[in-house]
Amino acid sequence: MRIVAWNVNGIRAIEKRGFFEWLKKDDPDILCLNETKAEPGQLSPKFLNPPGTAYSSFWASAKKKGYSGVAIYTKKQPLNVSFLGIPEFDDEGRVLAAEYKDFTLIAAYFPNSQPERKRIDYKLAFNEAILNLCNSIVKKGRHFILCGDLNVAHTPIDLARPKANENNPGYLPEERAWMDKFIAAGHVDTFRYFNPEKTGCYTWWSYMGSARANNVGWRIDYHCVNKDFLPKVKSSIIRPDVTGSDHCPVEIQLKRIR
């Protein structure tokens, strides 16, 4: 099973850059989108059930038009799909939790803490809610896959210019400390598990200054799992070859689950 997560920075914008052609060709089993900036009622039917594919879709949309939002395209019908269940976060369309037989998939778009830490309290509260959700799933004897734009570069090797960004959103001490806490709880950043010291691996690049061409980026998109599910993970990769957004997709491949 291949699960891809991608911040598309507007699904209607990326549709014009060949999104549906890419989806049909790449053919992941599950695709989780971040920052869709749309709600189903604004979209034509092809966005909900892409023609020529076996996908059905689920959406979490923000009350504010053209803002935030996540979606899941899946070939296998989930047993259940739910929001986070906390209005201040669900009102921004930040989480979908899709329950499958062998795991719960959490598609999440973490808030940006914004300049001058304007939303740091909101973000840290969201982070704690996600950690509580992950811990509760494990406590029930189940597994989770958390994927999406976590809006944090965890360690210095996760961004091209750590020193220059020490006081910038996405690399604040509080944000990085939460990632430490998340991992200390027994959860795993799968890309770093397979590539513990690999540098130059990024998932987001500014549109300014030819950042992507020069690979001056940040790794802020993840697939994370609980440690007991790790033996089922075959690979975790970054897909910088896929363009169309200021982010690239990240992909996890699972071994056959019997």
Side-chain angles (χ1 to χ4, degrees):
M1 176 178 280
R2 293 172 54 236
I3 303 173
V4 174
W6 191 6
N7 181 319
V8 292
N9 197 6
I11 194 169
R12 287 169 291 187
I14 206 168
E15 185 264 339
K16 300 172 184 176
R17 302 178 187 131
F19 170 72
F20 288 108
E21 292 80 3
W22 171 83
L23 178 60
K24 192 171 182 180
K25 181 180 178 181
D26 199 78
D27 198 36
D29 295 288
I30 304 173
L31 173 64
C32 301
L33 300 182
N34 285 185
E35 206 170 359
T36 55
K37 297 182 179 180
E39 57 186 45
Q42 298 173 304
L43 301 172
S44 62
K46 70 177 179 178
F47 285 92
L48 308 183
N49 298 103
T53 75
Y55 294 110
S56 55
S57 67
F58 300 87
W59 300 76
S61 305
K63 287 187 174 181
K64 180 180 176 181
K65 301 292 186 183
Y67 179 71
S68 190
V70 297
I72 296 176
Y73 287 91
T74 179
K75 293 179 181 179
K76 186 175 182 179
Q77 192 71 14
L79 302 173
N80 182 60
V81 179
S82 60
F83 302 130
L84 186 56
I86 302 174
E88 65 177 314
F89 305 130
D90 289 339
D91 286 351
E92 293 195 358
R94 294 202 172 270
V95 176
L96 282 173
E99 186 177 336
Y100 294 88
K101 178 183 175 183
D102 298 298
F103 58 86
T104 296
L105 177 66
I106 306 166
Y109 177 38
F110 282 53
N112 188 307
S113 56
Q114 296 190 356
E116 299 180 356
R117 291 177 163 84
K118 288 181 180 178
R119 297 199 91 194
I120 188 65
D121 291 341
Y122 180 86
K123 181 176 185 179
L124 293 177
F126 177 86
N127 290 4
E128 285 301 304
I130 290 293
L131 179 55
N132 290 339
L133 174 61
C134 293
N135 288 343
S136 69
I137 291 169
V138 173
K139 191 174 182 180
K140 293 174 185 175
R142 287 184 50 80
H143 304 297
F144 73 82
I145 301 172
L146 169 67
C147 69
D149 180 358
L150 271 60
N151 256 318
V152 61
H154 183 202
T155 69
I157 63 171
D158 292 317
L159 70 169
R161 296 174 177 169
K163 280 291 184 183
N165 286 287
E166 286 182 347
N167 294 308
N168 286 336
Y171 197 61
L172 298 176
E174 303 98 310
E175 296 171 298
R176 298 168 61 201
W178 180 84
M179 279 298 297
D180 291 338
K181 181 179 179 180
F182 180 81
I183 290 170
H187 311 321
V188 181
D189 168 359
T190 60
F191 180 82
R192 273 292 162 238
Y193 174 81
F194 288 104
N195 306 277
E197 298 180 1
K198 193 171 183 180
T199 61
C201 302
Y202 309 127
T203 66
W204 174 81
W205 304 262
S206 170
Y207 282 129
M208 306 295 290
S210 301
R212 189 161 187 167
N214 295 318
N215 199 30
V216 180
W218 298 49
R219 188 177 74 91
I220 59 176
D221 301 85
Y222 296 72
H223 281 94
C224 299
V225 301
N226 57 297
K227 63 181 179 181
D228 289 340
F229 193 65
L230 193 57
K232 298 299 184 183
V233 180
K234 183 177 181 181
S235 64
S236 181
I237 63 172
I238 295 171
R239 302 277 305 277
D241 56 301
V242 181
T243 58
S245 170
D246 52 348
H247 294 247
C248 74
V250 293
E251 177 180 325
I252 194 172
Q253 186 171 354
L254 305 181
K255 299 174 184 176
R256 185 178 297 276
I257 300 175
R258 299 185 184 279

